[in-house]
Amino acid sequence: MSSAGRSLDGGSQVQVAAAAKGIPEATIARLPVYLRALTSLADRGIDTISSGALAEAAGVNSAQLRKDLSYLGSYGTRGVGYDVEYLRFQIGREVGSAHEWPVIIVGLGNLGTALANYSGFTSRGFRVVAMVDPSPDLIGKRIHGVAITDLADLEEEVARTGAAIAVLATPAEAAQAVADRLVYLGVTSILNFAATVLAVPDGVNVRKVDLGQELQILAYHEQRKSDDVQRELERGGTAQ
Amino acid sequence: MSSAGRSLDGGSQVQVAAAAKGIPEATIARLPVYLRALTSLADRGIDTISSGALAEAAGVNSAQLRKDLSYLGSYGTRGVGYDVEYLRFQIGREVGSAHEWPVIIVGLGNLGTALANYSGFTSRGFRVVAMVDPSPDLIGKRIHGVAITDLADLEEEVARTGAAIAVLATPAEAAQAVADRLVYLGVTSILNFAATVLAVPDGVNVRKVDLGQELQILAYHEQRKSDDVQRELERGGTAQ
DNA sequence: AGAAGTTTGTGAACGGTTGCACAAACTCCG
DNA sequence: CGGAGTTTGTGCAACCGTTCACAAACTTCT
């Protein structure tokens, strides 16, 4: 049924329609990281950088960085390195920050509101063009000049703004119903913050971000650390 | 990533049982998902479930689920399935939701505040025991009964609460400096929402959540979809 | 009790990802 | 201009994660 692409990072799952272009999923997930590192470098006036230095800034192995970039093309110069501005342009084009993506946010509780205010979206080529929520207390409120409208008007809002990307920050119970409506309206990418697994048809991409889950993964490692110490202490008198 | 597996301590022959336990990182990342699915099932009064049904609820392949669980032990019964309550207990114990983890949040802008209010933390065994921020406007404010204190008092707060897990929701510029202080104070797990790569010593676990990055990954696929349509049109429109 | 049906647990094959190691392509310097 | 030094791009091998497929262990039915 649903053939799912794979992720190595527990934080998110992607369902990919096809791997047409042939850039590995793992590489795609790292492109935004490179992009941010490059932007930071450009801001500091650096105009050329080696794979080693860029890799360190991005927190990856330098061979990995070079291989990743090689999927996009040969944008470096041997003996020199990469031109920061040029590489930034190329990766940006690939990732799609060339044009500005209209985004709709559904659910404006604490998290949704924080996301609406989040500057990291705008700075990376996304514009929040619509926000919907069922609560009368929120409808009409404005964030960065955009008014929150009724969840009931979801259909109109999507049609009006042409958003193809939606951010879901509703309670878990409401998420699937909203997702169904979004998919029906032609939305093909969903960033899901709700604590539930969404079922969507092929061709729709879903990435899940679950904040509690991230903490639990950390807690696992944390616990293992204390377990180790525990074992260490016990290994003084007792035979295992 | 810098998953710990090295000797944390030069001193004694620590030879950590870390790798000894040998649960793959990918499996660990899925355990919280299973846990949530099980909780939901328990709430609905279901007390036994097959790997197939649980896998569907968790959005994974059933063989994968069984293999994942097999790393923890043999908690199922052939011909029957898994006892929901028992399995939930076992996974919970493994993940560390047995005891309650104290968490400190650094940075209470929009995102940090949303996280402080996020119910998904408390419901999964985490308690926000301290919140720090440098802004005078925020210091003294209370969220769920806990007062925000000055970032300058970070040292005292960590010592007082014994938090080993920190959530970083500061601007990117401040993140590394805060992380250094946290690590120095003995914090060994950091959930990083700041848009920067943190450098930390071995033995410290960092998980990064970058909201903009997630959207960019979606945008990549979104763009490829339109590229495909474009090519399709140029070719004279043969439906694939 | 035995046969038929169900479901787990896991060995083995497969496919994707990572990292090494090195030739190729460039710069710099004498 | 040639040799020394630098850095990219990539074939290759090791590794990790996923999925298949099937024996083992259980339930149910006759």
Side-chain angles (χ1 to χ4, degrees), chain A residues 5-9 14 16 19 22-34 60 64 67-68 71 207, chain B residues 1 213 217 220-221:
Chain A
R6 213 45 287 139
S7 67
L8 68 168
D9 206 343
V14 202
V16 190
I23 299 182
E25 200 51 38
T27 295
I28 292 163
R30 280 186 295 266
L31 292 182
V33 181
Y34 302 153
V60 301
Q64 171 133 271
K67 177 148 288 190
D68 282 344
Y71 290 115
R207 287 191 72 85
Chain B
M1 298 284 160
Q213 180 180 325
I217 296 171
Y220 170 85
H221 292 296

Side-chain angles (χ1 to χ4, degrees), chain B residues 14-25:
Chain B
V14 179
Q15 182 50 300
V16 189
K21 188 101 189 209
I23 300 183
E25 204 46 42

Side-chain angles (χ1 to χ4, degrees), chain B residues 159-211:
Chain B
R160 182 177 63 79
T161 59
I165 303 181
V167 173
L168 229 69
T170 67
E173 309 80 60
Q176 183 63 59
V178 172
D180 290 345
R181 288 169 69 189
L182 288 170
V183 168
Y184 181 76
L185 292 167
V187 169
T188 45
S189 290
I190 298 176
L191 182 54
N192 178 31
F193 286 91
T196 189
V197 175
L198 292 182
V200 295
D202 266 16
V204 177
N205 286 91
V206 176
R207 287 192 72 87
K208 197 185 72 176
V209 176
D210 186 330
L211 308 172

Side-chain angles (χ1 to χ4, degrees), chain A residues 36 189 207 210 214 222, chain B residues 36 189 207 210 214 222:
Chain A
R36 207 181 45 210
S189 290
R207 287 191 72 85
D210 186 330
E214 298 295 329
E222 202 56 45
Chain B
R36 207 180 46 211
S189 290
R207 287 192 72 87
D210 186 330
E214 298 296 327
E222 202 57 45

Side-chain angles (χ1 to χ4, degrees), chain A residues 76-87:
Chain A
T77 310
R78 296 175 189 217
V80 180
Y82 300 90
D83 181 279
V84 171
E85 204 49 57
Y86 182 59
L87 185 56

